[in-house]
Amino acid sequence: MPTDAKKLPSNISRAAAILSLFDGLNTPLQTRHILDALSLGRATGFALLRAMVREGWLERVDHGVLRLGPKATEWAFTPIDSRYARSQQNDPSKVVMPFNAMTDDVAIGRDVWDPRLVDVFETDRFRRTAPFHLGFANASRSNHWRRALIESVRYAHRTFGDQITSLRIEDANDDLAVQLEQVNAMVRDGIDLLLISATTTGDARLSDRLAELAHDGLPIVAVDRRPRDASCLVSFVTASDWTIGHVSALWLAEHLGGRGRLWLLSGLEGTSPAIRRQSAALETFSEFPGITVEAVTYTGWTEEGGHEAAARLSAQTSRPPDGVWCDSGLQGVGSLRYFLEKGPAVPAHTGGDLNRMYKLALHHHLPMAAVDYPAAMGARGLETAMDILNGRPVPRRIEIPTQVVLPRGMETRSVKADLWAELHVRWDLPDDAVLSQGPSLRRRDATEIERGQPDA
């Protein structure tokens, strides 16, 4: 904290000083204590605090009481895909595991701060006058999570009211050629900004086209899946796929006592989340000599794909595996369903996201671990788009914090629960609810209640 706040040269410095007053637990502070600590006058101080609340850097807890807001906490948790992101050099299959100082005594489940990720894009040149015309080139609507992502985007669209004159959403059904056509159609339609979830990471055609558009002055924000070359992006809104892959694999290995036979059921081949999660899991399992990965396959992130993969692999062996690593509950529910049908033994599973995954695991008292992939990133992507078009600086990479979700009694030496599965599951909502959907799920919850949706 500066010794003489009156000498601070700008509102930016004053805002930084205000943020520095809060401790690591984000303990709320009274506004008068903030003003006194920085020797700010009431008129100047309250004007600055109101602006910081309006922009999301602070939020009101009670009358006259503030704490760090969602934008500040997001930056503080923008963490750990940089463990390998800077070594990838546009090759997402190349993974490096730094932070070698981390020992087994460190509990996993919290993101780790890396100051190198605080890389800000100045957006003055993209400033426009509202209302805006936006386009969202979505990879597909092929599973419940992807549909929840779209609902999150639409929810954010409604919150901006007449600031957005139109939001064009196209789904490519995971077809690169279709997505290229849709992007070109949006550009011809005169969009002010392109929001995209890429169909593939490995093909250069999409990256090349996006690079052309960026060179011509179109701001581009990726959500969930990025293109092969991320240099065309103003910002990438995601969550840490490294965390999902690593933490779920670490839990499974420790739950099995460091010994056992595993099957890995990944999502959609060629997509950046599947590549990163699988790479992190394989790297983690390699640290346990007693763990044997017998099979690695893809499921398309669907229940049918998970069921089919479990059935196919079971036909090739006389014994079920000791554990099944799934990078999402989208296919995890299919694998669980297969083993419950086959019986009697059901191996330990990983994979969250889907309400049914939690329902099955809890109802049948099955060992499982999950790190939900937040579908709420859709809304954050649209909010980032609006920041850009209003000329506000944005981080080049925005990671939505994830939570480790475990049933009670399922913690291991290194993996601790952020949230108990018994409190996370929603028995009152349908099986296909994606629990990380954020405010748009709460809106669905209210809609179901209005319709008299019976308890599950």
Side-chain angles (χ1 to χ4, degrees), residues 36-77:
D36 290 345
L38 274 72
S39 301
L40 287 174
R42 291 179 63 84
T44 300
F46 279 118
L48 181 57
L49 292 176
R50 283 195 297 269
M52 293 179 71
V53 169
R54 184 171 61 251
E55 297 297 329
W57 292 102
L58 299 174
E59 64 181 4
R60 291 187 177 88
V61 179
D62 200 349
H63 180 69
V65 180
L66 299 173
R67 65 183 175 192
L68 295 177
K71 186 170 291 187
T73 53
E74 243 173 41
W75 278 43
F77 284 94

Side-chain angles (χ1 to χ4, degrees), residues 300-374:
W301 279 314
T302 66
E303 179 175 348
E304 296 77 13
H307 190 278
E308 186 277 332
R312 174 168 41 82
L313 294 173
S314 293
Q316 300 172 10
T317 180
S318 59
R319 292 188 301 151
D322 300 298
V324 179
W325 178 87
C326 300
D327 66 6
S328 170
L330 295 167
Q331 71 268 28
V333 292
S335 178
L336 272 181
R337 184 165 59 84
Y338 170 80
F339 285 105
L340 287 169
E341 293 166 357
K342 183 179 179 181
V346 178
H349 274 67
T350 67
D353 298 312
L354 207 59
N355 201 24
R356 188 180 186 190
M357 186 73 182
Y358 292 104
K359 287 183 177 181
L360 285 175
L362 293 173
H363 180 76
H364 296 280
H365 306 287
L366 305 176
M368 66 90 68
V371 185
D372 280 358
Y373 189 54

Side-chain angles (χ1 to χ4, degrees), residues 194-425:
L194 175 65
L195 196 65
I196 187 168
S197 181
T199 52
T200 179
T201 299
D203 197 303
R205 286 175 292 169
L206 180 62
S207 287
D208 291 346
R209 179 56 180 144
L210 295 179
E212 292 173 358
L213 295 174
H215 182 267
D216 292 340
L218 180 69
I220 304 171
V221 175
V223 176
D224 164 46
R225 302 183 193 173
R226 67 170 180 84
R228 180 176 179 174
D229 183 356
S231 63
C232 62
L233 304 176
V234 175
S235 185
F236 177 33
V237 181
T238 183
S240 176
D241 292 304
W242 190 93
T243 296
I244 292 172
H246 171 63
V247 172
S248 56
L250 182 60
W251 174 85
L252 188 55
E254 290 188 343
H255 175 76
L256 296 175
R259 304 187 62 82
R261 300 162 41 253
L262 304 182
W263 296 347
L264 272 61
L265 308 188
S266 289
L268 184 63
E269 188 172 7
T271 59
S272 54
I275 292 170
R276 294 176 177 184
R277 295 174 197 178
Q278 183 188 110
S279 297
L282 288 169
E283 183 72 24
T284 303
F285 289 135
S286 71
E287 299 174 3
F288 295 85
I291 292 291
T292 301
V293 176
E294 288 189 341
V296 179
T297 189
Y298 294 91
T299 62
W301 279 314
T302 66
E303 179 175 348
E304 296 77 13
H307 190 278
E308 186 277 332
R312 174 168 41 82
L313 294 173
S314 293
Q316 300 172 10
T317 180
S318 59
R319 292 188 301 151
D322 300 298
V324 179
W325 178 87
C326 300
D327 66 6
S328 170
L330 295 167
Q331 71 268 28
V333 292
S335 178
L336 272 181
R337 184 165 59 84
Y338 170 80
F339 285 105
L340 287 169
E341 293 166 357
K342 183 179 179 181
V346 178
H349 274 67
T350 67
D353 298 312
L354 207 59
N355 201 24
R356 188 180 186 190
M357 186 73 182
Y358 292 104
K359 287 183 177 181
L360 285 175
L362 293 173
H363 180 76
H364 296 280
H365 306 287
L366 305 176
M368 66 90 68
V371 185
D372 280 358
Y373 189 54
M377 69 179 67
R380 187 67 183 90
L382 193 67
E383 292 166 2
T384 302
M386 296 296 287
D387 283 340
I388 292 168
L389 293 175
N390 281 287
R392 304 185 188 105
V394 297
R396 294 299 301 265
R397 183 183 182 89
I398 299 172
E399 285 188 6
I400 310 302
T402 57
Q403 289 184 312
V404 178
V405 186
L406 301 171
R408 295 184 188 276
M410 288 296 162
E411 292 184 322
T412 64
R413 178 183 179 183
S414 302
V415 182
K416 309 301 180 184
D418 292 315
L419 184 63
W420 297 121
E422 291 85 350
L423 301 177
H424 188 49
V425 68

Side-chain angles (χ1 to χ4, degrees), residues 104-171:
D104 290 339
D105 295 328
V106 178
I108 301 296
R110 300 285 184 186
D111 287 339
V112 180
W113 166 253
D114 183 348
R116 295 174 301 174
L117 270 175
V118 186
D119 186 5
V120 177
F121 198 111
E122 297 294 338
T123 64
D124 282 342
R125 65 181 179 272
F126 299 126
R127 189 189 300 270
R128 306 281 193 277
T129 301
F132 308 120
H133 180 30
L134 308 180
F136 179 27
N138 183 36
S140 74
R141 296 174 54 91
S142 58
N143 58 54
H144 298 304
W145 189 93
R146 300 215 62 80
R147 291 190 282 275
L149 177 73
I150 294 171
E151 288 305 311
S152 180
V153 171
R154 286 176 171 159
Y155 175 86
H157 177 203
R158 290 189 291 269
T159 65
F160 285 106
D162 57 7
Q163 295 181 59
I164 300 175
T165 186
S166 66
L167 172 63
R168 178 173 175 175
I169 299 177
E170 298 285 359
D171 296 295

Side-chain angles (χ1 to χ4, degrees), residues 68-86:
L68 295 177
K71 186 170 291 187
T73 53
E74 243 173 41
W75 278 43
F77 284 94
T78 297
I80 70 176
D81 266 5
S82 65
R83 297 182 179 195
Y84 58 86
R86 291 182 179 267

